[in-house]
Amino acid sequence: MSERLPAVARKPKIGLVAGGLGAYWPQFPDLLPQLRRSAARVTDRMREFDAEVVDVGFISDAQEGAVAAEKLRAADCDLIVGFLTTYMTATMLVPIAQRSGAPVLLINLQPTEAMDHASFDTGAWLAYCGACPLPEMANAFERVGVPFRSVSGYLEDQRAWDRIGRWIRAAGVRSVLRHGRHGLMGHLYPGMYDVSTDLTMVTGNLGGHVEVLEFDDLRVRVQQVKDDEVAAKLAETREVFELADSVVEEDLAWAARVSVGLDRLVADFDLDSLAYYHRGLDGEIHEKLGAGMILGSSLLTARGVPAAGEYELRTSLAMLICDRFGAGGSFTELQALNFRDAVVEMGHDGPGHLAISERRPLLRGLGVYHGKRGWGVSVEFDVRHGPVTLVGLGQTRDGRYKIVASEGEVVGGPLLKIGNTTSRVDFGCDPGEWTDAWSASGVAHHWALATGRLLPELRALADLTGLELVEVAA
């Protein structure tokens, strides 16, 4: 079996084309060289993002636009960026937008913040005229059925580049979803209608592939784990976690062995995420495997392969979205409301995203997993204090997915010591009112709790994927 670790990031492929109206070149000989310098600067800035840039050069008319369209179609890009250096006709860019099969972002970045009106002639002004064709492009895109989006600014405008970067990151997340491989192992937690997922709808809404796994796929790999591999995993565990006195060494060693098996499972099936559940019975091997997965699933999640319990495929996908935005994303549900401190206490038993823990995570030994069979070690921590975003994937009656999100702040305070990843989240309003609004959104039982304020990124992702974004505000 392969020992290869899974890829934790797929770089988005960004197509880049710059252009202007060729009729200007003989009229204003200095204009094209200036615009090409601007285009070169944009290319340099684009290459600073964590993406593969496919630059097809500068176009001056519809014929060159058609050639660029074919190059970008063949490149199979995740996002096309069209740089409007000056006025250009819609017929130069519409074929690119229609044929590429990728979302298109138009950027209008003039050379500086403003023109020097006293010294500029017509040729100098035209280098600042990238805004001129934007309404034309928007109208043409609407009429041919292509979604329109743009960023306007100037070449060294960091605000504009921040917005461009947001689109590129969203394209990267869209790419992960389109090409991702998502493991689903075991069976539905009995009775949880909301968790039930139509696998065809995953591909229909997001793309990607769902790999249906058996717990026996894990069993055979755990059986092949060697003692020295267990020892290495135990050493890693003691480095990452604080161990409570309640941890039983035999249970910890078993969790380490299962963790090594999970690593092999993820590598062998090239998984980007994993959701699992198995009930088991009377201490047999499958029950023991299910009970022993918390350590390995937490380590996988911290490594960029989100793993969620209770067969929660849509939540493992939400966690993947958050992780690829660099915000973590820990498996979460409602736990209790604290009206005295005006916070919502949320988290989950089982795996969590160790990389976004406020403190060194704790492993606590539990003789009983509430609501589940088995026993063993569980993870305890709270998410890093400060701004956070809740991200869930809801499903409507007609099978469409929607992103549900809400921003709040994790604050300090007393926490239960029961082997759960509990966080106290302040949404700036009455906890009961927020809970009612969040539940009414259709988010379902679980979601991802991520660090930072992600709504701008989620708006871009919703635009690129065509998913509805429901924002639950205070």
Side-chain angles (χ1 to χ4, degrees), residues 219-239:
R219 175 182 58 81
V220 296
R221 287 164 174 80
V222 169
Q223 288 174 341
Q224 295 174 1
V225 173
K226 298 178 176 59
D227 290 344
D228 61 337
E229 295 174 304
V230 174
K233 184 65 70 171
L234 285 170
E236 177 188 358
T237 299
R238 290 191 169 92
E239 181 178 345

Side-chain angles (χ1 to χ4, degrees), residues 32-52:
L32 180 57
Q34 180 181 3
L35 300 182
R36 288 189 180 277
R37 289 193 295 272
S38 292
R41 178 57 180 153
V42 166
T43 299
D44 289 343
R45 287 296 300 263
M46 292 288 293
R47 296 194 190 283
E48 294 176 6
F49 293 104
D50 189 20
E52 177 185 350

Side-chain angles (χ1 to χ4, degrees), residues 25-352:
W25 313 153
Q27 295 175 328
F28 308 100
D30 294 334
L31 179 58
L32 180 57
Q34 180 181 3
L35 300 182
R36 288 189 180 277
R37 289 193 295 272
S38 292
R41 178 57 180 153
V42 166
T43 299
D44 289 343
R45 287 296 300 263
M46 292 288 293
R47 296 194 190 283
E48 294 176 6
F49 293 104
D50 189 20
E52 177 185 350
V53 179
V54 180
D55 186 353
V56 297
F58 198 102
I59 61 174
S60 299
D61 54 35
Q63 290 82 2
E64 292 180 357
V67 173
E70 179 58 26
K71 291 179 180 178
L72 292 171
R73 184 200 64 77
D76 189 26
C77 296
D78 298 303
L79 179 71
I80 304 296
V81 178
F83 177 26
L84 311 180
T85 66
T86 185
Y87 175 71
M88 56 194 298
T89 61
T91 190
M92 296 169 64
L93 282 182
V94 165
I96 291 173
Q98 287 180 310
R99 300 175 193 175
S100 67
V104 179
L105 169 68
L106 300 185
I107 60 174
N108 153 45
L109 301 177
Q110 63 190 38
T112 64
E113 294 175 277
M115 294 185 292
D116 182 356
H117 298 80
S119 65
F120 272 31
D121 59 12
T122 302
W125 154 59
L126 287 173
Y128 284 70
C129 201
C132 178
L134 269 176
E136 174 179 341
M137 299 297 174
N139 179 276
F141 277 32
E142 167 68 22
R143 291 166 70 180
V144 300
V146 173
F148 177 82
R149 55 194 69 85
S150 67
V151 171
S152 292
Y154 59 94
L155 278 177
E156 305 304 332
D157 182 357
Q158 190 55 47
R159 294 169 301 177
W161 281 106
D162 288 344
R163 292 164 62 200
I164 293 168
R166 189 174 298 141
W167 286 110
I168 291 174
R169 287 190 294 275
V173 174
R174 175 179 177 268
S175 175
V176 168
L177 295 173
R178 289 178 68 216
H179 301 289
R181 292 176 52 83
H182 313 295
L184 188 61
M185 184 171 69
H187 62 79
L188 182 72
Y189 188 104
M192 297 187 75
Y193 282 166
D194 65 307
V195 171
S196 178
T197 299
D198 182 336
L199 304 191
T200 304
M201 287 296 95
V202 174
T203 300
N205 283 276
L206 304 174
H209 167 75
V210 179
E211 185 74 20
V212 177
L213 303 170
E214 304 282 357
F215 256 73
D216 289 318
D217 291 317
L218 176 61
R219 175 182 58 81
V220 296
R221 287 164 174 80
V222 169
Q223 288 174 341
Q224 295 174 1
V225 173
K226 298 178 176 59
D227 290 344
D228 61 337
E229 295 174 304
V230 174
K233 184 65 70 171
L234 285 170
E236 177 188 358
T237 299
R238 290 191 169 92
E239 181 178 345
V240 172
F241 291 92
E242 178 184 350
L243 302 185
D245 292 340
S246 57
V247 171
V248 177
E249 282 298 322
E250 181 183 357
D251 296 342
L252 181 62
W254 173 248
R257 187 174 296 274
V258 174
S259 179
V260 177
L262 273 173
D263 290 345
R264 290 181 176 175
L265 181 82
V266 166
D268 289 342
F269 288 96
D270 191 25
L271 300 180
D272 294 286
S273 68
L274 174 66
Y276 66 91
Y277 175 75
H278 187 82
R279 183 171 54 191
L281 187 66
D282 294 337
E284 51 82 38
I285 184 61
H286 297 92
E287 179 183 290
K288 290 183 62 180
L289 286 168
M293 288 186 64
I294 294 173
L295 171 63
S297 294
S298 298
L299 292 171
L300 278 173
T301 301
R303 204 173 80 206
V305 183
E310 298 183 13
Y311 214 58
E312 250 292 19
L313 176 58
R314 292 199 311 278
T315 297
S316 63
L317 293 169
M319 293 164 64
L320 182 64
I321 289 170
C322 296
D323 188 85
R324 294 307 187 267
F325 275 129
S330 201
F331 189 40
T332 306
E333 66 183 3
L334 292 173
Q335 292 182 330
L337 306 183
N338 187 327
F339 292 96
R340 182 182 59 232
D341 297 338
V343 297
V344 179
E345 297 182 35
M346 61 180 65
H348 211 281
D349 63 312

